Amino acid sequence: MATFVLIHGGGGSSWDWHLLGPELAGRGHDVVVPELPIEDRAAGFAEFCDTVVDAVGDRSNLVVVGHSYGAFTAPLIADKLPVRLIVLLTPMIPKPGESPGDWWGNTAHRSAEGFSEEEQFYNGVPAEIVAEASAHGRDQVSAEWNEPWPLGAWPDVPTRVLIAREDRFFPPDFQRRVAADRLDAVPDEIDGGHAVALSHPTQLADQLTAYLPR
């Protein structure tokens, strides 16, 4: 049994994982779904990390999954706890000393044109789930936006990058380039858009559990 620690993205909440969590639990795994203190103007990377560490408690066999902006937090956990695997899901992959605010220009990010914000984030997600999403979003006013990412190097922990083939917000070619540049990694790919945990939870659970040693 593994413990999957699921870290939501920018403006997100534990609700973002409400379909994936039961899929993983149904496969016999423990699931921890912390909510980062993004509505606290004083909270930065240290507080984000502490929130996750506190939620994990004394659990072991940790697989930390960071979605989108959550990829800035996921590696920090490996600096505090014995993490066995990091999975970066449609991620913003940071580099040492880089602030989240600078990431966009540094990576030359360009999302797909001609789509609304909802169409960029939730393409492929069932309409009834999209209709619920706005009730679970949160204002991200926390302090980490201008903080340098605090690690001096990527943790010495196996890391997988998993991207979505229909992602409009972080298009696949962009994700492949950033993963190669920053982690010298070739991403794995799954059907779905940026919110793949809401559009393809069963397939995502299959992929995540396939990463575990047999």
Side-chain angles (χ1 to χ4, degrees):
M1 183 186 76
T3 297
F4 284 90
V5 183
L6 307 179
I7 301 177
H8 62 76
S13 69
S14 59
W15 179 87
D16 297 352
W17 305 108
H18 79 282
L19 300 178
L20 179 63
E23 292 283 350
L24 294 170
R27 289 162 171 76
H29 301 290
D30 196 3
V31 181
V32 178
V33 191
E35 291 206 349
L36 302 181
I38 64 174
E39 296 172 297
D40 180 352
R41 293 183 183 278
F45 285 126
E47 289 74 23
F48 284 17
C49 186
D50 288 347
T51 295
V52 178
V53 169
D54 289 347
V56 170
D58 61 359
R59 295 174 176 87
S60 59
N61 294 323
L62 305 179
V63 177
V64 179
V65 181
H67 175 235
S68 194
Y69 194 11
F72 266 81
T73 299
L76 306 181
I77 311 310
D79 200 44
K80 301 290 185 181
L81 297 174
V83 173
R84 66 190 288 190
L85 177 67
I86 298 168
V87 181
L88 306 178
L89 178 63
T90 64
M92 292 174 64
I93 302 173
K95 64 180 181 181
E98 179 179 61
S99 71
D102 287 337
W103 180 92
W104 306 88
N106 290 347
T107 59
H109 170 259
R110 297 289 185 276
S111 57
E113 296 182 355
F115 298 103
S116 68
E117 184 173 307
E118 182 177 289
E119 290 169 333
Q120 289 187 49
F121 278 94
Y122 296 115
N123 60 303
V125 178
E128 62 273 18
I129 301 297
V130 176
E132 293 181 37
S134 62
H136 298 278
R138 298 186 294 154
D139 290 335
Q140 181 128 8
V141 298
S142 42
E144 84 297 331
W145 183 256
N146 294 311
E147 284 187 11
W149 192 62
L151 297 187
W154 198 263
D156 186 19
V157 173
T159 300
R160 306 298 290 260
V161 180
L162 180 58
I163 67 175
R165 296 184 182 98
E166 292 80 46
D167 195 338
R168 293 171 177 165
F169 188 60
F170 293 154
D173 286 347
F174 168 80
Q175 294 268 268
R176 295 183 193 107
R177 174 174 60 80
V178 174
D181 178 56
R182 299 195 163 201
L183 294 178
D184 195 23
V186 176
D188 299 310
E189 302 188 13
I190 189 172
D191 290 338
H194 194 68
V196 64
L198 296 174
S199 65
H200 292 71
T202 301
Q203 295 92 324
L204 179 54
D206 287 342
Q207 183 65 59
L208 292 175
T209 55
Y211 288 144
L212 301 175
R214 299 298 179 183

